[in-house]
Amino acid sequence: MEPYGSPQWPDPHPPPPSPPPRPPIKHSSIAAILFLFGVLGLVCAGAYFSGELQQFWAGGATQSQGPRPGLVPFGQRQDPVPGLEEADAPLGTPAPLQRTSTSYKFLAVKEDGTPLAYSPCRPIHYVVNSDLAPASWQPLVEEAIRQASLASGLQFIYDGPTSEVPTNNRDGYQPEVYGDRWAPVLIAWTTPEQVPRLTGQTVGLGGSSSIGLSNGYKAYVTGTVSLDAPQFAGIMDSPQGKDVGVAVIMHELGHLLGLDHVNDPRQLMFDEASWVRQYAAGDRTGLAKLGTGPCSKDF
């Protein structure tokens, strides 16, 4: 026996004779093979980083789809990540109506007959440019916001001051200014030189921008309230100036949330200055409908 081995018995099936040795590979052939492997490596690397190779290993090519906002790197998106602050249910409910009225009108109505509105399941953020505002502007805005929120059930959050000025084509998404979300509502005291539509007797303007999704859903995402600073100053210097000032802002917030003018002088949304200082039955009926729209995590 061999050490640590088994006895060497004769092999009944001896191995076939070894083939004659191959001639050595020439250096030029080795270089060609290495070059071919290098090219294949570059092709595979490009396919991997483009996603084609990953799709192959995952089970074949997939149908290309447009990138969702949340999958595109921040700074390259045109919309914020969808569903920010969106709850599963409305954040509030409209105040009970003491009396309903048909004296209201919506600025826009969707195909299903419901009004275009803000989602009641996320707060409406707002900022204020008070550079040209009267010294007592803050309690006026706070009271007007409180009344609009009470009537609609929509919740507002004040994000502080801003230097942004109203423009005709305000961007709804300004990540470099307000971060990765829809821009907050802008409330600003301005002049007819900055906002030509304020020329004449128009004291304020209000309105919102909407987004439409491929599934047909539409909703407001931000807006602007522009107030004529010189005319507003004159209002504040008049008797009952504070009450009139609040009513002016409430009127424009009605437009912001989706109400149009009406021909009924008993409503705050009447298209001319009147003695009305609070939301009336028609205004409240319309605002209550605007505050009970659907939730959506898709925008």
Side-chain angles (χ1 to χ4, degrees), residues 1-161:
M1 294 181 66
E2 292 185 353
Y4 309 107
S6 56
Q8 296 296 302
W9 297 96
D11 189 351
H13 304 287
S18 302
R22 294 181 180 179
I25 299 176
K26 297 181 180 181
H27 291 292
S28 59
S29 299
I30 295 175
I33 293 171
L34 292 176
F35 176 77
L36 178 61
F37 276 109
V39 171
L40 289 174
L42 291 175
V43 171
C44 290
Y48 178 83
F49 287 109
S50 67
E52 296 175 3
L53 192 60
Q54 298 177 57
Q55 290 179 358
F56 173 80
W57 291 118
T62 58
Q63 184 178 3
S64 61
Q65 298 178 352
R68 290 189 61 190
L71 302 181
V72 180
F74 176 55
Q76 301 178 22
R77 296 196 294 270
Q78 296 181 347
D79 297 316
V81 175
L84 184 65
E85 295 185 289
E86 185 80 12
D88 295 328
L91 303 180
T93 56
L97 295 172
Q98 302 297 325
R99 183 170 62 90
T100 60
S101 170
T102 59
S103 289
Y104 63 88
K105 184 180 179 182
F106 299 122
L107 285 168
V109 177
K110 295 180 288 187
E111 294 180 357
D112 61 1
T114 60
L116 191 60
Y118 282 89
S119 168
C121 305
R122 69 176 68 180
I124 300 174
H125 290 261
Y126 71 97
V127 292
V128 178
N129 183 336
S130 60
D131 290 347
L132 302 178
S136 59
W137 69 267
Q138 190 162 356
L140 306 182
V141 171
E142 290 176 350
E143 177 59 18
I145 291 285
R146 189 184 73 84
Q147 293 289 347
S149 178
L150 186 67
S152 66
L154 298 171
Q155 304 299 298
F156 291 78
I157 294 178
Y158 177 45
D159 286 349

Side-chain angles (χ1 to χ4, degrees), residues 184-238:
V185 166
L186 171 64
I187 300 176
W189 276 262
T190 182
T191 64
E193 288 72 29
Q194 289 182 333
V195 182
R197 288 180 60 198
L198 289 174
T199 302
Q201 299 300 313
T202 304
V203 181
L205 296 168
S208 291
S209 301
S210 64
I211 183 173
L213 304 179
S214 59
N215 61 4
Y217 183 83
K218 295 180 181 179
Y220 291 131
V221 292
T222 188
T224 303
V225 170
S226 302
L227 302 167
D228 187 328
Q231 288 196 67
F232 205 91
I235 289 174
M236 295 302 295
D237 290 338
S238 67

